[in-house]
Amino acid sequence: MKYLLFFLLTVPVYSQNFDPAEIAAHRESINRIFADPKTSPLREEDRKSFTALHYFEPDQRYYITAQFRITPDTTPFEMKTTTERMPRYRKYGELHFELEGQKMKLNVYQNQELMNRKVYEDYLFLPFSDLTNEAETYVGGRYLDFRIPTGDTVVLDFNLAYNPYCAYNYDYSCPLVPLENDLPVAIRAGVKKFHD
């Protein structure tokens, strides 16, 4: 069982403005990771025919400034995964934003093991699901990652949403999206599902 955290390799530096060129460059770096036998999560038979992941076109509607609210003194809990592994997280904060005229909220989490490592101490994890799951995107939902913001807003760029590694290879153990992070809209941004 493998449980490499994808975001350790791919946390982007969020631009101050929507920039399709930056999104394209980020996607190219991900494709290089997937093509390299040393870093790819793909099974060998898939990697041999791999050329690129499939994405929705960059869309400014999914580049959102969200209000960030810290939730202090939350109790750590064991997050369910695709295997029996139960990593400990705590709810670190909430993101409040509007999308398609609806008010939305997503919880962000802090991994209790990673926070003790200097280089990862400010990382936050955002798993989410939406109405594209199964038909257009991975059935189990997708992820975004952040560094802890210094202010009360954060850029929420769904164009950078990515699949957990278990979407490509069942040897990986991946956190399941908590029910409270299921969005009632279709997020047609970011990576699509790997196989039809």
Side-chain angles (χ1 to χ4, degrees), residues 60-66 97-99 154-158:
Q60 191 163 7
R61 292 176 299 170
Y62 297 107
Y63 180 93
I64 299 163
T65 299
F97 58 99
E98 284 195 16
L99 185 61
V154 66
V155 171
L156 180 58
D157 190 354
F158 288 108

Side-chain angles (χ1 to χ4, degrees), residues 1 20-21 26 39 57 64 73 75 90 133 160 165 169 192:
M1 176 180 65
H26 179 71
T39 55
E57 288 297 315
I64 299 163
D73 304 320
T75 303
R90 80 173 182 91
N133 297 153
L160 301 175
Y165 269 9
N169 184 336
K192 296 181 178 181

